Amino acid sequence: MENLSKNPLFENVSAESIEQMITCFDMRKKTYKEKDIITTYDAEGDFIGLLLEGTISVNRISIDGSLDMLEYLEHTGVFGASFAFANREDEFIVICEKDCTVLFIEKQHITKRCAKACQHHTQVVENLMHLMAEKVVHLTEKVDILSHRSIRGKLMCYFRIQSTKQGELTFQLPMSLLKLANYLCIDRSAMMREIKKMKEEKIVEINGREVTLL
């Protein structure tokens, strides 16, 4: 699987070793259409999902049934309970945002060492730990964003994070404004009104998904 070699879980693992692990790990590949529900899981989930192509969103299901978007992942994304750092009562739903292909691996195949103690298995475990650390950083960013009380505060915090990541004052949003409102946990209409004010005040320029901090 060519796309699998690009996934961060298999960084520094040879193509030959990946082919061996496809069988050893009993990986299952599935394809989904836009708006399909890919899977649901709780904090005890026993799989890891690797996004080979397409786009998905990972959402926490609130008590009232509404969805709180935690992540918007594009090709090479990784998801599953191991990366949720959730309470036992939390439930999650993964939705296909653009036609996608996902590879599922049972977590035990990675976390429990095989009798051969292969070097590539050790590398995958190290990569898994690194990915978990990155997820902590991502969730910390989300907490930082949501700590701002105003819509403008949330937007500017998110825009600055994206600008820093992409190293430019002009950058591309990874998601639509509709999805952004969901991610920031704010009303879309109220967000659009605030964006209009920010543009009038020459704070930002927004054209489609392109944002420029002025």
Side-chain angles (χ1 to χ4, degrees):
M1 298 181 187
E2 182 179 350
N3 287 358
L4 196 56
S5 63
K6 300 176 183 177
N7 193 284
L9 186 63
F10 293 99
E11 186 175 352
N12 297 323
V13 179
S14 68
E16 181 181 356
S17 296
I18 291 174
E19 287 299 322
Q20 293 175 10
M21 284 187 283
I22 289 174
T23 301
C24 181
F25 287 4
D26 191 27
M27 300 182 190
R28 295 175 291 110
K29 185 171 73 170
K30 293 187 178 182
T31 58
Y32 299 91
K33 295 294 184 182
E34 185 175 342
K35 297 184 179 180
D36 281 352
I37 294 176
I38 295 173
T39 186
T40 59
Y41 59 90
D42 57 20
E44 301 299 320
D46 60 357
F47 70 89
I48 292 174
L50 309 181
L51 183 61
L52 300 182
E53 58 184 2
T55 307
I56 66 171
S57 64
V58 180
N59 309 269
R60 180 167 51 206
I61 305 174
S62 302
I63 296 176
D64 62 2
S66 61
L67 301 182
D68 174 17
M69 186 191 295
L70 298 179
E71 292 188 280
Y72 193 81
L73 301 175
E74 297 181 302
H75 49 277
T76 75
V78 182
F79 63 93
S82 299
F83 308 105
F85 304 98
N87 296 319
R88 286 184 176 274
E89 63 272 17
D90 284 341
E91 289 187 272
F92 303 87
I93 183 170
V94 182
I95 300 173
C96 177
E97 301 293 344
K98 293 180 181 178
D99 292 1
C100 67
T101 302
V102 177
L103 196 68
F104 291 97
I105 307 173
E106 289 187 18
K107 187 168 58 178
Q108 64 173 349
H109 289 307
I110 297 179
T111 57
K112 292 183 179 180
R113 295 299 303 274
C114 64
K116 296 180 181 179
C118 305
Q119 177 57 39
H120 53 252
H121 195 156
T122 300
Q123 182 64 56
V124 169
V125 173
E126 290 180 2
N127 292 342
L128 178 62
M129 296 301 103
H130 181 68
L131 286 170
M132 291 176 71
E134 287 185 347
K135 293 292 183 181
V136 170
V137 172
H138 175 80
L139 292 174
T140 301
E141 290 174 351
K142 181 82 182 280
V143 170
D144 186 21
I145 293 167
L146 296 184
S147 68
H148 293 267
R149 294 186 177 184
S150 68
I151 293 176
R152 179 173 296 195
K154 288 181 171 67
L155 284 167
M156 288 306 298
C157 184
Y158 178 79
F159 289 160
R160 290 192 183 105
I161 288 172
Q162 293 302 314
S163 175
T164 299
K165 285 182 177 180
Q166 299 183 38
E168 300 286 348
L169 291 178
T170 297
F171 54 90
Q172 294 291 322
L173 292 175
M175 64 188 84
S176 67
L177 291 176
L178 175 61
K179 297 296 180 183
L180 179 60
N182 188 5
Y183 179 76
L184 299 179
C185 301
I186 53 182
D187 178 75
R188 180 177 179 274
S189 296
M191 184 187 78
M192 296 306 296
R193 287 194 296 271
E194 190 61 39
I195 286 177
K196 182 180 180 182
K197 291 179 184 177
M198 292 165 67
K199 292 169 71 173
E200 291 173 347
E201 295 173 24
K202 305 296 184 183
I203 296 173
V204 297
E205 278 293 337
I206 300 179
N207 296 298
R209 291 193 181 188
E210 184 178 272
V211 178
T212 300
L213 299 179
L214 303 177

